[in-house]
Amino acid sequence: MGLEAVIREIQEKGRKEAEEVRKETRADVEEILRDAQTKAAGIKMAAEEEADRTATHIINQEVSAANLVVKRQVLNAQKTLLDQVYSASLAAVGDLPAEFHKKALTELLKKVAGEIKEGIVHANERDTPVVKEIISGQKTLSGYTVGAPVEIPGGIIVESTDGELKIDYSYRTFLDEIWESGLKDASDILFT
């Protein structure tokens, strides 16, 4: 065999080995690319899921915050309305006829006489003459004097002569008691 034949044989063998190495390299490259694409797809899917979870969480927080704001506004509106009803009720009682006030003051003075034997009776400016008339007209109230007018919508405030006891029978006090006990019922009627 000649030298040329040996060179051709070596070249041929080298080409075959090079071709084999190229095939193996292409296979390795393709496998690496497939793995990279699979990992990239997994990362992309995980990122999308996380973005969806985050978006859902943010939306839920915003909805909750909006609901809270609306609820607060509704409660504030209800409180404003209840305050208006309270004020209107107090004004309505104050606007009742003089006969009502005279009868109410008489009953309140009788009631206080069972608790304080002697004292000073305070009423608003409108009711002070009526209180004087009631006290002067009933012997059971002879231990009472009329004090300076006070800023109340009606009723009386009585303090014992020794100053140790004070009883508030003003209309506001009675309305407050009724209001406290009936607030839930009134709220249910107005707002349901």
Side-chain angles (χ1 to χ4, degrees), residues 83 86-91 93-94 108 124 150-157 168-180:
D83 289 346
Y86 177 88
S87 297
S89 299
L90 201 53
V93 170
L108 291 174
N124 63 26
V150 291
E151 290 294 320
I152 57 175
I156 55 173
I157 297 175
D168 184 349
Y169 282 157
S170 67
Y171 294 168
R172 182 181 311 276
T173 300
F174 289 114
L175 182 59
D176 286 347
E177 288 175 15
I178 293 167
W179 195 254
E180 291 290 323

Side-chain angles (χ1 to χ4, degrees), residues 179-192:
W179 195 254
E180 291 290 323
S181 65
L183 184 59
K184 184 184 179 332
D185 294 337
S187 181
D188 288 346
I189 290 169
L190 290 172
F191 305 119
T192 54

Side-chain angles (χ1 to χ4, degrees), residues 9-192:
E9 191 179 309
I10 292 173
Q11 285 177 340
E12 189 59 37
K13 187 176 178 185
R15 266 186 249 143
K16 285 182 183 178
E17 285 179 11
E19 188 59 38
E20 192 61 36
V21 168
R22 279 189 205 117
K23 282 183 184 178
E24 286 178 12
T25 303
R26 272 191 216 114
D28 287 346
V29 167
E30 287 176 11
E31 187 177 336
I32 290 170
L33 285 174
R34 277 194 304 274
D35 286 347
Q37 287 174 342
T38 303
K39 285 181 183 177
I43 291 170
K44 181 180 176 186
M45 187 179 294
E48 287 174 355
E49 288 174 359
E50 181 61 27
D52 287 346
R53 276 195 300 273
T54 302
T56 301
H57 180 71
I58 290 171
I59 289 169
N60 288 341
Q61 282 183 324
E62 292 299 318
V63 167
S64 293
N67 285 338
L68 187 62
V69 167
V70 168
K71 187 172 186 175
R72 188 175 296 131
Q73 288 173 343
V74 167
L75 289 174
N76 286 341
Q78 289 175 345
K79 184 185 180 316
T80 300
L81 182 60
L82 287 172
D83 289 346
Q84 290 172 352
V85 169
Y86 177 88
S87 297
S89 299
L90 201 53
V93 170
D95 291 342
L96 289 171
E99 282 296 313
F100 169 83
H101 293 291
K102 184 173 183 176
K103 185 175 179 183
L105 292 169
T106 302
E107 292 303 314
L108 291 174
L109 285 165
K110 286 179 185 175
K111 184 175 180 178
V112 84
E115 298 174 43
I116 297 176
K117 297 300 175 203
E118 296 180 345
I120 302 167
V121 180
H122 300 278
N124 63 26
E125 215 170 310
R126 174 197 68 215
D127 294 335
T128 299
V130 176
V131 170
K132 283 180 184 175
E133 178 187 326
I134 295 168
I135 288 173
S136 65
Q138 293 192 15
K139 291 183 182 183
T140 57
L141 301 175
S142 62
Y144 289 95
T145 58
V146 177
V150 291
E151 290 294 320
I152 57 175
I156 55 173
I157 297 175
V158 180
E159 41 184 320
S160 61
T161 49
D162 60 9
E164 289 187 21
L165 186 60
K166 186 175 190 177
I167 297 176
D168 184 349
Y169 282 157
S170 67
Y171 294 168
R172 182 181 311 276
T173 300
F174 289 114
L175 182 59
D176 286 347
E177 288 175 15
I178 293 167
W179 195 254
E180 291 290 323
S181 65
L183 184 59
K184 184 184 179 332
D185 294 337
S187 181
D188 288 346
I189 290 169
L190 290 172
F191 305 119
T192 54

